[in-house]
Protein backbone atom coordinates (compact mmCIF):
# COMPACT_ATOMS: atom_id res chain seq x y z
CA UNK A 1 0.00 0.00 0.00
CA UNK A 2 1.34 3.41 -0.95
CA UNK A 3 2.64 5.56 1.90
CA UNK A 4 0.26 8.43 0.96
CA UNK A 5 -2.76 6.14 1.14
CA UNK A 6 -1.70 4.84 4.55
CA UNK A 7 -1.28 8.43 5.80
CA UNK A 8 -4.72 9.40 4.44
CA UNK A 9 -6.51 6.45 6.07
CA UNK A 10 -4.67 7.03 9.34
CA UNK A 11 -5.58 10.72 9.33
CA UNK A 12 -9.26 10.06 8.62
CA UNK A 13 -9.34 7.42 11.35
CA UNK A 14 -7.78 9.87 13.82
CA UNK A 15 -10.28 12.63 12.93
CA UNK A 16 -13.23 10.32 13.35
CA UNK A 17 -12.03 9.35 16.82
CA UNK A 18 -11.22 12.85 18.07
CA UNK A 19 -12.26 13.34 21.66
CA UNK A 20 -14.03 16.59 22.58
CA UNK A 21 -10.82 17.81 24.23
CA UNK A 22 -9.03 17.58 20.88
CA UNK A 23 -11.69 19.38 18.86
CA UNK A 24 -11.10 22.98 17.79
CA UNK A 25 -12.44 25.38 20.42
CA UNK A 26 -15.34 26.60 18.22
CA UNK A 27 -16.47 23.08 17.35
CA UNK A 28 -16.22 21.85 20.93
CA UNK A 29 -18.38 24.77 22.06
CA UNK A 30 -20.86 24.04 19.29
CA UNK A 31 -21.14 20.39 20.28
CA UNK A 32 -21.78 21.40 23.89
CA UNK A 33 -24.47 23.82 22.70
CA UNK A 34 -26.02 21.10 20.48
CA UNK A 35 -26.23 18.75 23.45
CA UNK A 36 -27.76 21.44 25.67
CA UNK A 37 -30.46 22.28 23.10
CA UNK A 38 -31.01 18.75 21.72
CA UNK A 39 -29.94 19.71 18.20
CA UNK A 40 -29.22 17.08 15.54
CA UNK A 41 -28.03 17.77 11.97
CA UNK A 42 -26.87 15.79 8.97
CA UNK A 43 -23.24 16.33 7.94
CA UNK A 44 -23.83 19.17 5.49
CA UNK A 45 -26.18 21.01 7.82
CA UNK A 46 -23.78 20.49 10.72
CA UNK A 47 -20.99 22.49 9.11
CA UNK A 48 -23.40 25.15 7.88
CA UNK A 49 -24.78 25.63 11.40
CA UNK A 50 -21.30 25.48 12.92
CA UNK A 51 -20.27 28.42 10.72
CA UNK A 52 -23.32 30.48 11.75
CA UNK A 53 -22.86 29.55 15.42
CA UNK A 54 -19.22 30.61 15.30
CA UNK A 55 -20.10 33.98 13.73
CA UNK A 56 -22.82 34.57 16.32
CA UNK A 57 -20.48 33.67 19.15
CA UNK A 58 -17.84 36.09 17.88
CA UNK A 59 -20.47 38.84 17.72
CA UNK A 60 -21.56 38.04 21.29
CA UNK A 61 -17.97 38.05 22.59
CA UNK A 62 -17.19 41.31 20.77
CA UNK A 63 -20.28 42.97 22.23
CA UNK A 64 -19.59 41.75 25.77
CA UNK A 65 -16.01 43.03 25.60
CA UNK A 66 -17.34 46.56 25.04
CA UNK A 67 -19.07 49.05 27.31
CA UNK A 68 -22.79 48.36 26.95
CA UNK A 69 -25.87 48.49 29.17
CA UNK A 70 -26.76 44.88 28.39
CA UNK A 71 -24.95 41.62 27.76
CA UNK A 72 -25.46 39.01 25.07
CA UNK A 73 -25.27 35.25 25.38
CA UNK A 74 -25.77 31.99 23.57
CA UNK A 75 -29.35 30.71 23.50
CA UNK A 76 -31.62 28.43 21.50
CA UNK A 77 -31.33 30.72 18.45
CA UNK A 78 -27.53 30.69 18.22
CA UNK A 79 -27.36 28.48 15.12
CA UNK A 80 -29.60 30.83 13.11
CA UNK A 81 -28.96 33.93 11.02
CA UNK A 82 -31.09 36.91 11.91
CA UNK A 83 -32.89 36.59 8.57
CA UNK A 84 -33.90 33.02 9.43
CA UNK A 85 -34.91 34.11 12.92
CA UNK A 86 -36.95 37.02 11.57
CA UNK A 87 -38.98 34.78 9.25
CA UNK A 88 -39.77 32.27 11.99
CA UNK A 89 -40.39 34.40 15.07
CA UNK A 90 -41.22 37.98 14.10
CA UNK A 91 -44.16 39.70 12.41
CA UNK A 92 -43.61 39.34 8.66
CA UNK A 93 -46.77 41.11 7.51
CA UNK A 94 -46.64 44.94 7.70
CA UNK A 95 -48.60 46.08 10.76
CA UNK A 96 -50.91 49.07 10.48
CA UNK A 97 -50.38 50.48 13.95
CA UNK A 98 -52.31 53.67 13.31
CA UNK A 99 -53.75 54.72 16.70
CA UNK A 100 -52.31 58.24 16.81
CA UNK A 101 -54.71 59.24 19.57
CA UNK A 102 -55.96 56.87 22.23
CA UNK A 103 -58.60 56.46 24.87
CA UNK A 104 -56.28 56.24 27.87
CA UNK A 105 -56.80 59.14 30.28
CA UNK A 106 -53.72 60.12 32.29
CA UNK A 107 -54.02 60.87 35.97
CA UNK A 108 -51.69 63.16 37.83
CA UNK A 109 -48.75 61.38 39.50
CA UNK A 110 -46.65 60.92 41.43
CA UNK A 111 -45.91 57.32 40.52
CA UNK A 112 -43.82 54.73 42.34
CA UNK A 113 -40.21 54.57 41.22
CA UNK A 114 -40.50 50.79 40.85
CA UNK A 115 -43.49 48.68 39.75
CA UNK A 116 -43.48 44.94 39.06
CA UNK A 117 -46.84 43.17 38.65
CA UNK A 118 -45.08 39.80 39.00
CA UNK A 119 -44.58 40.56 42.69
CA UNK A 120 -48.35 40.59 43.28
CA UNK A 121 -50.00 37.23 43.90
CA UNK A 122 -51.47 35.49 40.83
CA UNK A 123 -51.46 38.38 38.39
CA UNK A 124 -48.96 37.33 35.69
CA UNK A 125 -48.95 33.90 34.03
CA UNK A 126 -45.65 32.05 33.46
CA UNK A 127 -43.62 32.82 30.33
CA UNK A 128 -44.87 30.89 27.32
CA UNK A 129 -43.15 29.85 24.07
CA UNK A 130 -44.56 30.76 20.67
CA UNK A 131 -42.38 28.24 18.80
CA UNK A 132 -41.78 28.60 15.04
CA UNK A 133 -44.76 30.89 14.47
CA UNK A 134 -44.98 34.68 14.23
CA UNK A 135 -47.70 34.68 16.88
CA UNK A 136 -46.07 37.01 19.41
CA UNK A 137 -49.10 39.31 19.07
CA UNK A 138 -51.35 36.59 20.48
CA UNK A 139 -49.09 36.07 23.53
CA UNK A 140 -48.95 39.81 24.18
CA UNK A 141 -52.76 39.84 23.96
CA UNK A 142 -53.38 36.88 26.24
CA UNK A 143 -50.71 37.98 28.71
CA UNK A 144 -52.37 41.36 29.08
CA UNK A 145 -55.92 40.03 29.28
CA UNK A 146 -54.88 37.30 31.73
CA UNK A 147 -53.50 39.98 34.06
CA UNK A 148 -56.44 42.37 33.64
CA UNK A 149 -58.81 39.50 34.36
CA UNK A 150 -56.80 38.36 37.40
CA UNK A 151 -56.65 41.87 38.88
CA UNK A 152 -60.43 42.19 38.55
CA UNK A 153 -61.51 38.68 39.59
CA UNK A 154 -58.66 37.23 41.63
CA UNK A 155 -58.43 34.28 39.20
CA UNK A 156 -55.36 33.85 36.99
CA UNK A 157 -56.49 31.80 33.99
CA UNK A 158 -54.16 31.03 31.05
CA UNK A 159 -55.98 32.02 27.85
CA UNK A 160 -55.86 30.67 24.30
CA UNK A 161 -53.38 32.06 21.78
CA UNK A 162 -54.45 29.43 19.26
CA UNK A 163 -58.00 30.80 19.14
CA UNK A 164 -56.57 34.18 18.12
CA UNK A 165 -54.36 32.58 15.46
CA UNK A 166 -57.29 30.63 14.01
CA UNK A 167 -60.22 32.97 14.47
CA UNK A 168 -59.14 36.65 14.53
CA UNK A 169 -58.24 37.08 10.85
CA UNK A 170 -61.26 39.26 10.03
CA UNK A 171 -59.73 41.89 12.33
CA UNK A 172 -56.65 42.41 10.14
CA UNK A 173 -54.61 39.71 11.85
CA UNK A 174 -52.68 37.07 9.93
CA UNK A 175 -52.16 34.09 12.24
CA UNK A 176 -48.52 32.99 12.23
CA UNK A 177 -47.72 35.86 9.85
CA UNK A 178 -48.50 38.51 12.46
CA UNK A 179 -51.11 40.78 13.97
CA UNK A 180 -51.60 43.42 16.65
CA UNK A 181 -52.83 43.11 20.25
CA UNK A 182 -55.21 46.06 19.79
CA UNK A 183 -56.84 44.24 16.86
CA UNK A 184 -56.93 41.02 18.85
CA UNK A 185 -58.70 42.80 21.73
CA UNK A 186 -61.22 44.09 19.18
CA UNK A 187 -61.80 40.52 17.98
CA UNK A 188 -62.39 39.28 21.55
CA UNK A 189 -64.81 42.16 22.16
CA UNK A 190 -66.96 41.47 19.09
CA UNK A 191 -66.55 37.70 19.26
CA UNK A 192 -67.90 37.75 22.81
CA UNK A 193 -65.07 35.94 24.50
CA UNK A 194 -61.79 34.04 24.52
CA UNK A 195 -61.41 30.43 25.58
CA UNK A 196 -58.82 29.05 27.98
CA UNK A 197 -55.53 27.54 26.90
CA UNK A 198 -56.72 24.22 28.32
CA UNK A 199 -59.90 24.19 26.22
CA UNK A 200 -58.24 25.54 23.05
CA UNK A 201 -54.57 24.45 23.32
CA UNK A 202 -51.67 25.96 21.42
CA UNK A 203 -50.47 24.25 18.22
CA UNK A 204 -48.12 26.91 16.86
CA UNK A 205 -49.47 26.83 13.30
CA UNK A 206 -52.51 28.17 11.45
CA UNK A 207 -55.65 26.07 11.66
CA UNK A 208 -59.40 26.44 11.20
CA UNK A 209 -61.41 28.21 13.89
CA UNK A 210 -62.86 26.01 16.65
CA UNK A 211 -64.30 28.62 19.02
CA UNK A 212 -67.04 27.34 21.35
CA UNK A 213 -69.04 30.25 22.85
CA UNK A 214 -70.11 28.22 25.87
CA UNK A 215 -66.45 27.79 26.86
CA UNK A 216 -65.47 31.48 26.66
CA UNK A 217 -63.59 32.40 29.85
CA UNK A 218 -62.60 36.07 29.45
CA UNK A 219 -64.49 38.96 27.88
CA UNK A 220 -63.50 42.42 26.62
CA UNK A 221 -65.77 45.43 27.07
CA UNK A 222 -63.55 47.81 25.11
CA UNK A 223 -60.02 48.41 23.85
CA UNK A 224 -57.89 51.26 25.20
CA UNK A 225 -55.21 52.48 22.82
CA UNK A 226 -52.53 54.68 24.37
CA UNK A 227 -51.69 57.74 22.28
CA UNK A 228 -48.76 56.93 19.97
CA UNK A 229 -45.35 57.90 21.37
CA UNK A 230 -46.80 58.92 24.75
CA UNK A 231 -44.50 56.84 26.93
CA UNK A 232 -45.56 58.76 30.05
CA UNK A 233 -49.10 57.47 29.49
CA UNK A 234 -47.70 53.94 29.37
CA UNK A 235 -46.09 54.55 32.77
CA UNK A 236 -49.40 55.88 34.08
CA UNK A 237 -51.26 52.77 32.89
CA UNK A 238 -48.71 50.27 34.23
CA UNK A 239 -48.36 52.12 37.55
CA UNK A 240 -52.08 52.50 38.24
CA UNK A 241 -53.95 49.85 36.30
CA UNK A 242 -52.33 46.77 34.82
CA UNK A 243 -49.63 45.41 32.47
CA UNK A 244 -49.73 46.88 28.95
CA UNK A 245 -49.22 45.29 25.51
CA UNK A 246 -46.79 47.03 23.18
CA UNK A 247 -44.90 46.47 19.95
CA UNK A 248 -41.35 47.39 18.98
CA UNK A 249 -38.69 46.65 16.38
CA UNK A 250 -36.40 43.69 17.00
CA UNK A 251 -32.99 43.89 15.29
CA UNK A 252 -30.18 41.34 15.16
CA UNK A 253 -28.52 42.18 18.49
CA UNK A 254 -31.74 41.59 20.43
CA UNK A 255 -31.81 37.95 19.31
CA UNK A 256 -28.76 37.33 21.54
CA UNK A 257 -29.94 39.36 24.58
CA UNK A 258 -28.98 37.85 27.94
CA UNK A 259 -29.48 40.46 30.68
CA UNK A 260 -29.25 44.15 31.50
CA UNK A 261 -31.08 47.13 30.01
CA UNK A 262 -31.39 46.77 26.25
CA UNK A 263 -30.77 49.83 24.12
CA UNK A 264 -29.96 49.97 20.43
CA UNK A 265 -28.67 52.30 17.73
CA UNK A 266 -29.70 49.82 15.02
CA UNK A 267 -33.47 49.87 15.46
CA UNK A 268 -35.96 52.47 14.25
CA UNK A 269 -38.57 54.15 16.43
CA UNK A 270 -41.59 54.46 14.15
CA UNK A 271 -44.82 52.45 14.04
CA UNK A 272 -44.20 51.09 10.54
CA UNK A 273 -41.09 49.20 11.71
CA UNK A 274 -42.77 47.34 14.60
CA UNK A 275 -42.17 43.58 14.21
CA UNK A 276 -42.66 42.07 17.68
CA UNK A 277 -45.31 42.33 20.40
CA UNK A 278 -44.64 41.86 24.12
CA UNK A 279 -46.01 42.80 27.55
CA UNK A 280 -44.79 45.51 29.93
CA UNK A 281 -45.27 44.13 33.45
CA UNK A 282 -43.43 46.89 35.28
CA UNK A 283 -40.66 49.46 35.25
CA UNK A 284 -37.76 50.73 37.35
CA UNK A 285 -34.48 52.66 37.35
CA UNK A 286 -30.95 51.22 37.20
CA UNK A 287 -28.34 52.23 39.78
CA UNK A 288 -26.68 54.10 36.92
CA UNK A 289 -29.85 56.18 36.61
CA UNK A 290 -31.12 54.57 33.40
CA UNK A 291 -34.91 54.03 33.50
CA UNK A 292 -36.22 50.75 32.10
CA UNK A 293 -39.29 48.68 31.36
CA UNK A 294 -39.69 45.11 32.67
CA UNK A 295 -41.00 43.08 29.75
CA UNK A 296 -42.44 39.59 29.35
CA UNK A 297 -41.46 37.89 26.10
CA UNK A 298 -42.82 34.72 24.44
CA UNK A 299 -39.64 32.84 23.50
CA UNK A 300 -39.59 30.49 26.51
CA UNK A 301 -37.66 30.75 29.78
CA UNK A 302 -34.29 29.75 28.26
CA UNK A 303 -34.06 33.12 26.51
CA UNK A 304 -33.04 36.36 28.25
CA UNK A 305 -33.71 36.75 31.98
CA UNK A 306 -35.90 33.65 32.44
CA UNK A 307 -37.96 34.80 29.45
CA UNK A 308 -38.00 38.49 30.42
CA UNK A 309 -35.94 41.47 29.34
CA UNK A 310 -35.36 45.07 30.36
CA UNK A 311 -35.43 47.86 27.76
CA UNK A 312 -34.59 51.54 28.13
CA UNK A 313 -37.58 53.65 29.13
CA UNK A 314 -38.37 57.26 28.25
CA UNK A 315 -36.80 57.43 24.79
CA UNK A 316 -39.28 55.44 22.69
CA UNK A 317 -36.55 52.84 22.27
CA UNK A 318 -37.10 50.84 19.07
CA UNK A 319 -40.58 52.36 18.73
CA UNK A 320 -41.93 50.77 21.92
CA UNK A 321 -44.28 53.70 22.57
CA UNK A 322 -45.70 53.71 19.04
CA UNK A 323 -48.33 51.06 19.57
CA UNK A 324 -49.48 50.17 23.09
CA UNK A 325 -52.87 49.06 24.37
CA UNK A 326 -54.82 47.17 27.00
CA UNK A 327 -58.41 45.89 27.33
CA UNK A 328 -61.23 46.92 29.63
CA UNK A 329 -62.77 43.83 31.10
CA UNK A 330 -66.41 42.82 30.66
CA UNK A 331 -67.40 41.01 33.84
Amino acid sequence: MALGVVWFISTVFSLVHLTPLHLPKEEYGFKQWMSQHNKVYDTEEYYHRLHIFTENRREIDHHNAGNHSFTMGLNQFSDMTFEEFRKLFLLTEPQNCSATTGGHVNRAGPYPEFVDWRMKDNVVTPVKNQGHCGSCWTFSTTGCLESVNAIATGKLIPLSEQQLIDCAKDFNNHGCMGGLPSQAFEYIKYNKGLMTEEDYPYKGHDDSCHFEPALAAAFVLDVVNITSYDEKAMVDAVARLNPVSFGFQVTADFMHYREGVYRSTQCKNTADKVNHAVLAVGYGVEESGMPYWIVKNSWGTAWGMDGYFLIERGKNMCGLAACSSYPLLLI
Side-chain angles (χ1 to χ4, degrees):
M1 185 180 292
L3 184 60
V5 174
V6 172
W7 174 87
F8 175 77
I9 293 172
S10 174
T11 302
V12 170
F13 183 82
S14 298
L15 286 171
V16 169
H17 288 81
L18 277 174
T19 65
L21 293 176
H22 295 98
L23 285 171
K25 180 181 177 182
E26 292 84 359
E27 194 165 1
Y28 178 44
F30 183 51
K31 284 184 175 291
Q32 285 185 308
W33 177 88
M34 285 177 60
S35 175
Q36 180 184 353
H37 294 281
N38 299 313
K39 297 279 186 170
V40 179
Y41 315 99
D42 62 29
T43 303
E44 183 178 352
E45 183 76 0
Y46 172 85
Y47 286 105
H48 175 60
R49 294 298 159 190
L50 171 61
H51 174 73
I52 295 171
F53 176 88
T54 301
E55 290 298 310
N56 283 336
R57 190 166 195 171
R58 285 173 183 163
E59 182 183 342
I60 290 166
D61 290 344
H62 176 73
H63 172 91
N64 290 344
N67 183 22
H68 299 282
S69 59
F70 72 100
T71 60
M72 294 183 180
L74 297 173
N75 56 39
Q76 68 266 42
F77 307 130
S78 296
D79 65 341
M80 301 173 70
T81 66
F82 180 66
E83 184 61 23
E84 290 173 324
F85 175 83
R86 186 186 66 79
K87 289 179 179 177
L88 285 175
F89 297 98
L90 301 179
L91 308 178
T92 53
E93 287 283 333
Q95 303 305 308
N96 180 25
C97 182
S98 59
T100 54
T101 58
H104 177 77
V105 178
N106 279 3
R107 301 282 174 87
Y111 306 114
E113 189 173 76
F114 178 79
V115 171
D116 187 348
W117 284 97
R118 296 173 300 175
M119 297 175 69
K120 302 181 185 296
D121 288 339
N122 290 322
V123 170
V124 179
T125 54
V127 169
K128 303 179 186 181
N129 195 335
Q130 68 188 70
H132 291 181
C133 170
S135 55
C136 56
W137 60 280
T138 69
F139 289 85
S140 177
T141 301
T142 59
C144 192
L145 183 54
E146 286 162 352
S147 292
V148 170
N149 191 51
I151 292 166
T153 68
K155 298 177 181 178
L156 185 61
I157 305 169
L159 298 172
S160 174
E161 294 82 22
Q162 192 65 43
Q163 181 184 332
L164 298 174
I165 291 173
D166 297 344
C167 307
K169 293 176 182 175
D170 286 345
F171 288 76
N172 199 31
N173 298 307
H174 311 279
C176 283
M177 299 293 284
L180 287 175
S182 58
Q183 293 163 179
F185 294 139
E186 289 281 353
Y187 157 76
I188 299 167
K189 173 184 175 180
Y190 289 103
N191 182 66
K192 295 184 171 53
L194 185 67
M195 290 166 61
T196 66
E197 190 139 56
E198 182 178 2
D199 287 335
Y200 201 143
Y202 188 67
K203 296 179 181 177
H205 59 78
D206 293 280
D207 204 348
S208 56
C209 182
H210 300 293
F211 174 65
E212 296 181 44
L215 295 178
F219 306 88
V220 170
L221 174 66
D222 209 351
V223 185
V224 180
N225 289 305
I226 295 174
T227 300
S228 285
Y229 309 118
D230 189 350
E231 203 164 346
K232 290 181 179 178
M234 292 175 65
V235 170
D236 179 77
V238 172
R240 291 192 302 108
L241 301 174
N242 46 253
V244 167
S245 292
F246 73 88
F248 73 113
Q249 186 191 21
V250 167
T251 50
D253 57 350
F254 187 76
M255 183 174 110
H256 307 298
Y257 172 90
R258 169 62 59 79
E259 62 183 2
V261 181
Y262 178 78
R263 64 192 305 191
S264 174
T265 56
Q266 299 178 22
C267 62
K268 306 298 182 185
N269 62 3
T270 53
D272 61 312
K273 299 299 183 182
V274 164
N275 62 6
H276 189 48
V278 288
L279 183 69
V281 299
Y283 62 81
V285 181
E286 277 276 275
E287 289 183 5
S288 65
M290 182 186 294
Y292 60 80
W293 289 104
I294 305 168
V295 189
K296 183 184 183 184
N297 204 354
S298 54
W299 296 340
T301 56
W303 181 90
M305 302 166 67
D306 297 321
Y308 284 82
F309 66 97
L310 309 179
I311 187 169
E312 187 174 13
R313 174 168 57 92
K315 294 187 177 178
N316 186 32
M317 181 57 62
C318 300
L320 67 82
C323 186
S324 57
S325 60
Y326 60 91
L328 297 180
L329 197 68
L330 177 63
I331 301 177

